[in-house]
């Protein structure tokens, strides 16, 4: 309630503006009301009679919205089903079931426990994630809203309690609980302002207005007896359509989309509204528009499935060999083995029916060799991913001080996918920009103010100066170094002032630009929101010393008068006002005007009041301007005008609009600044500023009156031609304008966005910008983020004309041809260009995109789009965003990442391989749908380039190692069968086997998965090009996978053969003892433990104490286990009794064989990495070596050179832009040098010097 | 009201502050670490080191193995009387045939005591699953477990009760016997300490006596003296340690006397055990033992081979590094420099 004092100032209601406005929102449909009652349009709502909706046929769902996957009942079956869709899990389930029968080679517990653990962990994870979703739902569903309960009484109710037909009252800045039909608002004419950013990403406020029939319902009491019936369309996902009829007191009123308030949008600038619930809960358009979040799996995990299948086929193969071999030997040999006395009816050993025994043996073998399928891989990966996610969440460098939030990995199974992203699809508002406009620069009367040298130029000249030193020595020998340097400085200065020369005031400009660049060097935080402008020539009322004072004044007047804003609050200390307006641009203009001394402080029904600084007197005077007409801004007109008369009765038309629109309407004598202004415009545009041109026109009273009468007629026109008539009328007056200048506002980028985009671009990631905003804005942001630059070839794909209605088939075909023609011409242009180096940029309009993504056009469209360095899609709907994402993903097969902050990005976030939500903003929908929530866009760079890179390498190394490790163990079991006529005896003790994946080899691989780093995070960020290893997936190719399988096979062979041939049949101890099955099992197993643990030591690049502890500890644990196990009495330890201290330990042969086996089984891999590292090093190897030799410190120049080399392929981003700029500068320098050379050589002095004999 | 709001604001702001992740070397992944890199020097050093370690071990074990004297006498074929050569089965299965067989072996080198006597069987699958599991360790351990024969199928009990020791393993006990004499002088065969020490102490009970053994329909192998407890039945204990591979040796006994070179040892063999049916071989082995056990050239040769190979690799890598050197951190190998002139394309 503290803010109410400010609100009392609002005597002037926004809606009043519309009494001047020429365009009211009108329905464009022909007459959709005739559709009512037909299929698809059958809904009936009894307003204010929710009790009628409690029973059929008018029973509609409650307003409860659920995004959870499961509920209490469905959790168990659904989650179990999900789990056992994984083939490996199904296999283990089967094995566990069989383990209770006599078929199993192991104890049941050793098969059931890991399965229960794996499935249990995954299910708990699912449950926890779903629980969080439920809590978020609960939070949304229990928000409260005022609901009418009869007799004009309103009480607070939770959202979920709402019913169709309820009348609700929504206050300012509250979200609408469901789709409401607007009945009336705090404004007398029943309009309200709505922010739909969450729905479609558009930032400007939308005007909604109620039907005239319900205008009278102005207060709570009037609803006591209110009854009405609404017939309307059935629930559907179309955000921009609504067809309905309101029946009130036997009269019928048509309803249009303008009176429907959608869930997930927000009431703005309106104190309160009354509405009736039309669609509730799952019927609302916002919910209908959302899709269920799919469960995502990473690329590596999907490939891992294939690896598992490969191992499966290996398993099947050796099981088959086992069973066939067994049956064969059973029939031919074993029958003769009297010591087996095969005469009873043991089904496993029936020589009479070898096929039955063989089949049983097959099933047994499937379980026996199950160690080939790493069940623990799933557990370990889950554990590792959770730990990885924890480390990502804990990264201080991903913590945002402002919002006090850190990164939040909501689903941990995509960690490694972060290292393989090839394409980022980004939302604009709220993601790249903070939806805040700042007044940055202006060009008044052909002079540009507000700093001239931009960041790019500064960076370029800075880098050039460094380079110049080396450059100096290479140039013509008769010029001294100092001369050339001087000349270069001159040339840089020249370029930045060239425009000024055109402007015609050379000296002054030269001076001021130097001053400006110095000013802009000093980065100062501006206290005034929306105003980031510094220029000594204008600030502090200095503008009054300018020439063209009248134009300057008029410029400021346009800023202060040509708008729809209102002052809302006054700062007590500075007496500065705050404003509210339809778009943030207008606010920034008002703020700027105030700063320049033109404070707009009051608006009345028909007047606007300014506090103007009057240059002749030097005092502040209050002036009143009568507002005669307001020609409203709309996207088709791209301009807005006000017609005011000042205190002297002079009628002036003030106009602001897009530059080309204004330039077309200039008077002959109004073009004096056009040339200079155009130049400034292009500069501003390149800096990514949004520009608006200002112009004015003085009107004679007679002319105005004549026009006004026409306009009045137009305004009262009713019917479809109204728009056209109005357009014509405004055309008549908005002409013969006099150009004043342009103002540039910056759609403020979020902190660190350009740098982040730069890094991502260097990493080779393509960035697509998808925005609901209009094309100009999108292009501006493209420039601001350096996604676009001036020397890029821009393709614009758009439809010739826009059609609001649903197109007919013929129109559709025409549009398709249009698009196809455009695409063809692009292709032609591209091939004509010839050089592939020229970066391309594609700008697509939403409507054109819709056509371009149709099945028969997309094959032409997508290849072109993918080839472009940057792609900007503007005016795209949420559905289109999702569609683009899916098509790009499917067509290119590339890993996509979508990042956004609002509900309009949800589709895209869910569709992409990785969805990232921005959690800094208030809306939670994007975060709820996302896989990873970031507080700010700028953290994306570190998340991908550091954590993604690490996680990718970790997981791929881990999976490969797992495959190796299990093959190394599993195959020895098979070899043993070869030596026992496939009889199916297990080589190792059950305990050894059970411990293998749980204790003896699990911790080192987890430490690999969590802590491994090829290079440190700093180096990752210094060399973003390293990221491409993940994009190319060079660590998980089939070549590598097969390589590791072969490595595992080799290791198992070495281990097995070395053991059996050294230990059998001779004695292995000095006392003549020979080894039995237990001894040999323990010996072989020792070798396996040593080998697999030493193998991981060879993989790991970075040893902290943890890795050392885990690796060497695991080996130690094996011996400790043998000791402890052997110390138990034989009743428990069975044949493992005293195996180490009695048999193995005292035998030197045991230790000798261990050493031998470890060295030999690791030798092939070792030789492989030695050859690779020595002669075919990968990038990370070389960089490791550079770091190792401390070359980054010792040879800084080389380090920097390599850093810049690594990014020379990038085409977007700040650095690329600086590079491009440097190229241009160098060319100019070269050109200039040649000129000088020519002038010098052709000068008579030089000739005389050279011609004169030495 | 305002004051309260302010207070709650304050608490919430301090609460927010605490959300900042705490710094620790672990969570920031900045733990001090060593990052070993395979430089040429290391590569050569490692190969040389392996060579240096492996060659002596190889020589030592080869030397030890050479010192072991081993005599293998393959007797099953020769011990069949000529008239039974075509029908060995009938010979071995008949209880009437004379199973005694005299073999003479010449000692090639002096054999220091103890000389270990082994019998070696080929193609005998003691590692067969049906065989391996057909025993009851509990029954062997203590008298109280006498009835525990459920794992012993099909040799579990006779009409008189449970068999002790039950199961196929015990039932098929090896029953050839050897007697040795040198120059007509009987050589004592010691059966003491031919088992692992833990066997008589912990695994075979001193209160367990053979019972109903080899009294069923089918006679497998040797019979046991039912007045001697299992813990003293050394042959049984040796046999019960099932072998890994189908070719195996088991200790028969020890000769606690030196055998001189060129001595002729006369072995009197009672050839009872039926290996003829499945084509297995029986061999008598006399062997001494060194620190690596019996005669085992394989390990020594393997060690020498690998040691030599590593030295060879060390030299070849040294040469490679000399002739085709790649400076550490050579930037021309970086992928982005490879397409540039001077870069390495592969």
């Amino acid at each position: 309630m503290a803010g109410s004092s400010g609100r009392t100032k609002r005597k002037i209601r926004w809606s009043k503006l519309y009494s001047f406005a020429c365009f009211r929102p009108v329905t464009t449909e022909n007459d959709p009301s005739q559709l009512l009652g037909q299929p698809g349009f059958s809904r009936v709502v009894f307003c204010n009679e929710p009790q009628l909706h409690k029973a059929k046929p008018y029973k509609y769902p409650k307003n409860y919205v659920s995004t959870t996957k499961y509920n209490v009942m469905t959790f168990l079956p659904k989650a179990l089903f999900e789990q056992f869709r994984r083939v490996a899990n199904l296999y283990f389930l089967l094995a566990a079931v069989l383990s209770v029968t006599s078929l199993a080679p192991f104890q049941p517990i050793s098969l059931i426990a890991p399965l229960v653990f794996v499935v249990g962990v995954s299910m708990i994870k699912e449950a926890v994630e779903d629980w969080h979703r439920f809590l978020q739902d609960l939070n949304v569903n229990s928000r409260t809203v005022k609901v009418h309960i009869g007799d004009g009484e309103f009480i607070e109710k939770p959202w979920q309690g709402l019913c169709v037909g309820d009348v609700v009252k929504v206050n300012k800045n509250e979200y609408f609980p469901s789709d409401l039909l607007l009945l009336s608002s705090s404004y007398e004419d029943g309009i309200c302002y709505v922010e739909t950013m969450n729905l479609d990403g558009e930032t400007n406020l939308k005007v909604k207005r109620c039907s005239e029939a319900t205008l009278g319902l102005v207060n709570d009491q009037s609803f006591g007896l209110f009854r009405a019936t609404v017939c309307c369309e059935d629930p559907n996902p179309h955000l921009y359509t609504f067809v309905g009829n309101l029946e009130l007191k036997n009269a019928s009123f048509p309803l249009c989309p303008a009176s429907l308030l959608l869930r997930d949008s927000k009431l703005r600038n309106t104190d309160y509204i009354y509405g009736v619930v039309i669609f509730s809960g799952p019927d609302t358009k916002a919910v209908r528009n959302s899709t269920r979040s799919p469960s995502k799996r990473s690329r590596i995990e999907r490939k891992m499935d294939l690896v598992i299948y490969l191992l499966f086929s290996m398993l099947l193969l050796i099981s088959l060999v086992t069973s066939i071999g067994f049956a064969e030997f059973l029939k031919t040999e074993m029958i003769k083995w009297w010591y087996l006395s095969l005469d009873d009816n043991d089904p496993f050993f029936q020589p009479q029916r070898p096929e039955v025994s063989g089949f049983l043996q097959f099933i047994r073998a499937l379980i026996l060799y199950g160690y080939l399928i790493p069940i623990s891989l799933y557990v370990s990966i889950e554990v590792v991913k959770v730990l990885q996610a924890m480390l990502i969440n804990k990264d201080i460098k991903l913590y945002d001080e402002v919002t006090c939030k850190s990164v939040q990995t909501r689903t941990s199974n995509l960690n490694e996918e972060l290292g393989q992203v090839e394409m980022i699809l980004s939302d604009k508002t709220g993601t790249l920009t903070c939806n805040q406009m700042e007044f940055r620069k202006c060009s008044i009367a052909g002079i540009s103010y507000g700093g001239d040298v931009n960041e790019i130029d500064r960076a370029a000249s800075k880098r050039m100066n460094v380079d110049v030193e080396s450059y100096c020595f290479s140039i013509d020998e008769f010029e001294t170094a100092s001369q050339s340097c001087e000349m270069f400085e001159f040339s840089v200065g020249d370029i930045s002032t060239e425009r000024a020369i055109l402007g015609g005031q050379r000296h002054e400009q030269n001076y001021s630009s130097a001053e400006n660049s110095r000013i802009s060097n000093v980065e100062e935080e501006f206290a005034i929101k929306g105003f980031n402008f510094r220029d000594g020539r204008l600030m502090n009322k200095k503008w009054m010393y300018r020439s063209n004072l009248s134009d300057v004044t008029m410029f400021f007047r346009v800023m202060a008068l040509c708008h729809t804003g209102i002052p809302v609050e006054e700062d007590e200390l500075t007496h500065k006002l705050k404003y509210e307006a339809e778009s943030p641009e207008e606010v920034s203009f008002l703020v700027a005007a105030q700063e320049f001394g033109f404070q707009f402080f009051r608006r009345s029904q028909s007047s606007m009041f300014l506090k103007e600084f009057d240059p002749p007197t030097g005092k502040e005077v209050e002036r009143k301007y009568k507002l005669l007409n307001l020609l409203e801004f709309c996207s088709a007109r791209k301009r807005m005008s006000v017609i005011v008369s000042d205190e002297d009765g002079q009628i002036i038309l003030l106009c602001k609009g897009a530059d080309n629109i204004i330039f077309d309407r200039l008077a002959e004598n109004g073009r004096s600044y056009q040339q200079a202004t155009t130049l400034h415009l292009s500069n501003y545009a390149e800096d990514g500023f949004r520009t608006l041109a200002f112009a004015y026109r003085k009107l004679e009273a007679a002319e105005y009156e004549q026009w006004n009468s026409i306009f009045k007629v137009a305004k009262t026109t009713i019917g479809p031609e109204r728009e056209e008539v109005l357009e014509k009328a405004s055309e008549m007056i908005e002409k013969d304008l006099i150009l004043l200048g342009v103002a540039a506002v910056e759609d403020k980028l979020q902190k660190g966005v350009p740098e982040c985009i730069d890094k991502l671009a260097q990493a080779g990631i393509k960035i697509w910008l998808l925005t609901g905003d209009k094309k100009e804005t999108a292009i501006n942001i493209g420039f601001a983020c350096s996604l676009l630059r001036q020397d890029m070839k821009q393709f614009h794909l758009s439809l010739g004309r826009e059609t609001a209605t649903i197109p007919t088939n013929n129109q559709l075909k025409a549009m398709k041809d249009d698009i196809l023609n455009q695409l063809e011409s692009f292709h032609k242009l591209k091939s004509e260009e010839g050089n592939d180096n020229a970066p391309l940029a594609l700008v697509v309009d939403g409507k054109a995109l819709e056509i371009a993504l149709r099945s028969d056009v997309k094959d032409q469209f997508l290849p072109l789009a993918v080839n472009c360095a940057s792609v900007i899609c503007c005016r795209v709907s949420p559905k289109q965003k999702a569609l683009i994402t899916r098509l790009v993903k499917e067509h290119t097969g590339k890993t996509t990442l979508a990042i956004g902050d609002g509900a309009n990005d949800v589709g895209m976030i869910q569709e992409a391989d990785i969805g990232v939500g921005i959690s800094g903003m208030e809306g939670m929908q994007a975060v709820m749908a996302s896989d990873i929530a970031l507080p700010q866009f700028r953290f994306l760079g570190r998340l991908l380039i550091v954590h993604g890179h690490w996680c990718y390498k970790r997981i791929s190394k881990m999976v490969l190692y797992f495959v190796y490790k299990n093959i190394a163990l599993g195959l020895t079991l098979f070899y043993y069968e070869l030596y026992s006529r496939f009889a199916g005896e297990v080589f190792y003790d059950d305990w050894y086997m059970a411990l293998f994946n749980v204790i003896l080899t699990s911790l080192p691989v987890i430490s690999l998965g969590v802590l491994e780093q090829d290079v440190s995070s700093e180096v990752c960020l210094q060399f973003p090009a390293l990221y491409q290893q993940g994009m190319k997936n060079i660590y998980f190719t089939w070549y590598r996978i097969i390589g590791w399988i072969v490595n595992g096979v080799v290791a198992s062979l070495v281990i097995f053969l070395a053991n059996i041939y050294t230990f059998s049949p001779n004695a292995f101890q000095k006392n003549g003892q020979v080894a039995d099955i237990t001894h040999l099992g323990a010996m072989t197993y020792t070798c396996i433990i040593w080998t697999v643990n030493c193998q991981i030591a060879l993989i790991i690049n970075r040893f902290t104490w943890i890795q050392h502890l885990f690796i060497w500890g695991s080996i130690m644990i094996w011996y400790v286990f043998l000791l402890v196990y052997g110390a138990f009495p034989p009743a428990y330890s069975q044949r493992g009794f005293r195996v180490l201290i009695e048999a193995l330990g005292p035998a030197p042969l045991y230790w000798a064989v261990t050493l031998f086996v470890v060295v030999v089984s690791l030798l092939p891999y070792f030789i492989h990495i030695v050859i690779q590292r020595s002669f075919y090093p990968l990038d990370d190897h070389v960089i490791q070596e550079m770091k190792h030799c401390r070359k980054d410190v010792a040879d800084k120049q080389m380090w920097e050179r390599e850093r810049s080399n690594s990014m020379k392929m990038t085409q977007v981003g700040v650095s690329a832009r600086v590079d491009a700029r440097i190229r241009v500068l160098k060319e100019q320098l070269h050109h200039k040098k040649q000129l000088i050379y020519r002038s010098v050589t052709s000068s008579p002095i030089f000739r005389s010097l050279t011609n004169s004999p030495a | 009201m305002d004051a309260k709001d302010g207070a709650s604001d304050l608490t919430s702001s301090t609460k927010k502050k605490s959300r900042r992740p705490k710094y620790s070397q672990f969570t920031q992944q900045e733990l001090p670490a060593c990052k070993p890199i395979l430089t040429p020097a290391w590569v050569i050093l490692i190969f040389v080191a392996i060579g240096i370690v492996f060659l002596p071990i190889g020589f030592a074990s080869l030397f030890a193995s050479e010192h072991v004297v081993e005599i293998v006498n393959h007797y099953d074929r020769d011990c069949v009387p000529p008239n039974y050569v075509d029908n060995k089965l009938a010979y071995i299965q008949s209880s009437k045939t004379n199973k005694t067989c005299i073999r003479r072996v010449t000692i090639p080198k002096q054999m220091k005591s103890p000389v270990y006597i082994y019998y070696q069987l080929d193609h005998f699958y003691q590692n067969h699953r049906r065989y391996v599991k057909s025993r009851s360790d509990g029954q062997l351990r203590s008298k109280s477990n006498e009835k525990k024969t459920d794992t012993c199928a099909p040799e579990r009990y006779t009409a008189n009760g449970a068999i002790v020791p039950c199961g196929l393993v015990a039932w098929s006990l090896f029953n050839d016997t050897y007697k040795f004499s040198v120059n007509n002088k009987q050589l004592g065969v010691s059966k003491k300490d031919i088992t692992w020490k833990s066997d008589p102490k912990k695994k075979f009970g001193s209160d367990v006596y053979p019972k109903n053994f080899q009294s069923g329909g089918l006679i497998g192998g040797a019979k046991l003296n039912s007045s001697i407890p299992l813990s003293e039945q050394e042959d049984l204990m040796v046999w019960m340690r099932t072998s890994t591979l189908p070719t195996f040796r088991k200790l028969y006994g020890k000769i606690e006397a030196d055998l001189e070179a060129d001595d002729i040892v006369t072995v009197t063999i009672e050839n009872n055990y039926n290996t003829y049916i499945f084509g297995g071989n029986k061999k008598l082995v006399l062997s001494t033992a060194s620190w690596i056990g019996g005669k085992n050239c394989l390990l020594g040769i393997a060690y020498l081979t690998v040691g030599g190979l590593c030295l060879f690799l060390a030299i070849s890598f040294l040469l490679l590094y000399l002739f085709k050197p790649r400076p550490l951190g050579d930037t021309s190998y970086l992928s982005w420099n490879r397409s540039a002139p001077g870069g390495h394309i592969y």
Side-chain angles (χ1 to χ4, degrees), chain A residues 401 954 1066 1072 1142 1152 1179, chain B residues 20 29 118 198 295 303 335:
Chain A
E401 298 283 354
R954 289 166 180 172
N1066 312 68
E1142 187 179 57
D1179 290 347
Chain B
R20 182 193 166 92
Q29 313 198 40
Y118 301 94
S198 60
K295 200 165 186 69
Y303 259 108
S335 60

Side-chain angles (χ1 to χ4, degrees), chain B residues 10-158:
Chain B
L10 209 83
T11 51
S12 72
S13 74
T14 50
K15 211 171 156 190
K16 272 182 180 174
K17 254 177 210 145
S18 69
R19 246 194 275 168
R20 182 193 166 92
K22 284 195 189 66
Y23 177 85
S24 82
Q25 285 181 329
F26 177 75
T27 56
Q28 301 311 306
Q29 313 198 40
E30 288 167 358
L31 282 173
C34 65
K35 300 168 194 163
I37 282 187
L38 270 184
T39 60
W42 270 108
V43 171
I44 292 165
L45 197 73
I46 288 170
F47 280 126
V48 169
I50 296 175
I52 286 175
V53 173
F54 268 42
L55 288 180
I57 297 179
F59 280 120
S61 51
L62 207 57
F63 181 74
S65 167
E66 283 305 311
H67 262 261
V68 173
V69 184
E70 185 185 85
I71 303 157
V72 181
N73 194 294
H74 188 174
Y75 67 85
D76 55 273
R77 223 175 313 131
D78 301 338
C79 281
V80 179
N83 50 334
Y84 280 105
V85 163
D86 296 331
N87 197 358
K88 294 185 186 109
L89 260 181
Y91 160 75
I92 199 78
Q93 281 172 341
S94 157
S95 55
K96 294 187 184 87
T97 47
N98 178 20
K99 303 278 167 48
T100 312
C101 164
I102 310 286
R103 306 282 294 169
R104 285 189 179 79
V105 282
T106 317
I107 307 296
K109 265 202 288 188
Q110 191 206 24
M111 294 175 90
K112 290 258 190 204
S113 111
V115 177
Y116 297 102
I117 307 158
Y118 301 94
Y119 53 92
Q120 176 173 336
L121 298 179
D122 288 346
H123 295 291
F124 191 97
Y125 287 86
Q126 255 203 325
N127 57 12
H128 196 282
R129 177 156 64 96
R130 180 176 164 90
Y131 188 80
V132 171
K133 69 173 188 183
S134 180
R135 61 191 282 158
S136 168
D137 287 331
Q139 189 200 43
L140 298 174
R141 245 187 332 265
S142 128
K143 195 175 159 62
S144 53
N145 294 333
E146 195 183 290
K147 296 259 158 46
K148 262 196 181 166
T149 60
D150 40 340
T151 53
C152 285
E155 290 296 318
R156 293 180 65 182
Y157 33 74
T158 61

Side-chain angles (χ1 to χ4, degrees), chain A residues 338-341 344 364 394 396 401 954 1062 1066 1072 1077 1103 1142 1152 1173-1174 1177 1179 1185 1191 1202, chain B residues 20 28-29 31 33-34 118 125 129-130 195 198 242 274 294-296 303 321 326 328-329 335 337 346:
Chain A
W338 58 268
Y339 50 87
L340 293 182
S341 62
D344 56 355
R364 188 184 154 87
K394 289 254 156 104
I396 291 182
E401 298 283 354
R954 289 166 180 172
T1062 46
N1066 312 68
I1077 198 166
F1103 289 91
E1142 187 179 57
R1173 280 205 88 113
S1174 306
D1179 290 347
E1185 286 168 4
K1191 282 197 182 169
E1202 286 315 318
Chain B
R20 182 193 166 92
Q28 301 311 306
Q29 313 198 40
L31 282 173
C34 65
Y118 301 94
Y125 287 86
R129 177 156 64 96
R130 180 176 164 90
T195 64
S198 60
T242 46
N274 182 5
K295 200 165 186 69
N296 190 353
Y303 259 108
Y321 292 136
R326 180 181 74 87
L328 269 192
S335 60
N337 289 336
Y346 47 78

Side-chain angles (χ1 to χ4, degrees), chain A residues 296-297 299 302 414 417-418 420-426 765-766 768 770 866 881-882 884-899 908-916 931 944 1027:
Chain A
K296 295 177 186 172
R297 302 188 63 207
R299 207 152 277 239
R302 273 175 276 162
L414 291 173
E417 194 86 338
L418 290 174
Q420 294 191 282
V421 174
E422 285 180 86
M423 198 170 268
I424 293 175
L425 301 135
S426 173
I765 304 172
K766 284 202 170 151
W768 288 30
L770 309 180
V866 171
K881 283 187 179 182
I884 297 166
T885 314
R886 182 163 75 232
L887 288 176
V888 166
K889 195 174 78 176
E890 279 169 4
H891 178 81
T892 63
K894 291 179 172 174
T895 312
T896 53
L897 179 144
I899 179 166
M908 151 172 110
I909 284 173
Q910 288 178 340
E911 198 61 64
D913 292 305
I914 307 169
V916 178
D931 305 303
L944 296 186
Y1027 187 81

Side-chain angles (χ1 to χ4, degrees), chain A residues 535-564:
Chain A
D535 197 317
R537 292 168 294 170
L538 292 185
M539 298 293 290
N540 299 323
K541 317 281 187 297
K542 289 271 174 57
W543 49 267
M544 62 184 196
Y545 305 119
R546 312 297 304 169
S547 53
N548 300 333
L549 184 61
S550 64
D551 286 340
V552 176
T553 324
M554 195 54 87
F555 185 90
F556 293 144
R557 267 188 205 129
V558 177
M559 281 210 288
L561 292 174
C562 184
H563 60 79
T564 57

Side-chain angles (χ1 to χ4, degrees), chain A residues 710-916:
Chain A
I710 300 170
F711 186 66
K712 270 184 182 156
V713 174
K715 255 169 77 174
T716 48
T717 318
I718 305 164
E721 72 277 10
R722 179 189 145 102
E723 204 171 336
E724 212 176 309
V725 174
L726 274 170
E727 171 83 41
K728 258 189 204 144
S730 59
E731 246 349 294
M732 286 167 69
I733 198 81
E734 288 170 323
K735 62 176 189 186
D736 296 335
L737 304 171
I738 295 163
L739 181 68
L740 289 165
V742 291
V745 289
E746 187 184 13
D747 193 354
K748 218 178 147 206
L749 288 181
Q750 291 191 8
K751 202 174 145 198
V753 165
E755 293 83 353
C756 177
I757 288 182
D758 193 30
K759 278 266 176 284
L760 294 170
Q762 288 167 19
I765 304 172
K766 284 202 170 151
I767 299 163
W768 288 30
L769 189 64
L770 309 180
T771 173
D773 258 322
K774 55 182 185 285
K775 192 163 160 184
E776 289 77 15
T777 321
I779 292 176
N780 286 338
I781 290 301
F783 275 107
C785 305
S786 301
L787 286 174
L788 296 177
R789 59 174 204 260
Q790 212 67 312
D791 61 336
M792 268 184 177
K793 198 117 226 100
Q794 276 187 29
F795 295 153
H796 289 254
L797 191 65
S798 55
L799 283 174
R801 62 212 155 85
E802 295 196 9
T803 44
T805 48
I806 299 153
T808 61
N809 272 348
N810 276 343
Q811 279 174 312
L812 205 69
K813 200 169 172 313
M815 291 192 310
K816 215 180 273 177
D817 291 342
D818 185 14
I819 295 291
L820 279 173
N821 283 338
Q822 289 188 42
L823 286 172
E824 196 133 307
S825 63
F826 294 158
H827 274 294
K828 222 176 266 169
L829 224 110
K830 219 176 98 187
S831 49
E832 271 171 19
E833 283 298 307
N835 54 339
D836 296 330
N837 299 335
L840 308 170
L842 182 67
V843 182
V844 198
D845 182 68
K847 290 246 168 57
L849 195 68
E850 206 175 308
I851 306 290
L853 292 178
R854 280 171 191 265
S855 53
D856 41 344
V857 192
K858 72 176 183 206
D859 292 333
Q860 271 90 23
F861 170 71
L862 284 170
L864 178 82
V866 171
N867 269 332
C868 289
S870 49
V871 177
I872 292 177
C873 306
C874 40
R875 298 203 74 82
V876 285
S877 69
K879 275 258 145 128
Q880 281 176 332
K881 283 187 179 182
L883 187 69
I884 297 166
T885 314
R886 182 163 75 232
L887 288 176
V888 166
K889 195 174 78 176
E890 279 169 4
H891 178 81
T892 63
K894 291 179 172 174
T895 312
T896 53
L897 179 144
I899 179 166
D901 72 313
N904 60 326
D905 307 313
V906 166
M908 151 172 110
I909 284 173
Q910 288 178 340
E911 198 61 64
D913 292 305
I914 307 169
V916 178

Side-chain angles (χ1 to χ4, degrees), chain A residues 979-1023:
Chain A
Y979 283 85
S980 68
R981 288 287 189 259
F982 306 110
E985 177 57 12
V986 190
F987 196 20
Y988 312 111
D989 193 291
D990 273 8
W991 276 101
Y992 303 171
M993 307 276 281
L995 290 182
F996 183 73
N997 283 323
V998 182
I999 291 174
L1000 296 174
T1001 59
S1002 62
L1003 291 177
V1005 77
I1006 286 175
S1007 76
L1008 168 85
V1010 179
L1011 299 168
E1012 170 71 353
Q1013 294 173 12
D1014 51 349
V1015 287
S1016 65
S1017 59
E1018 290 81 39
V1019 181
C1020 280
L1021 288 169
Q1022 281 168 346
F1023 288 92

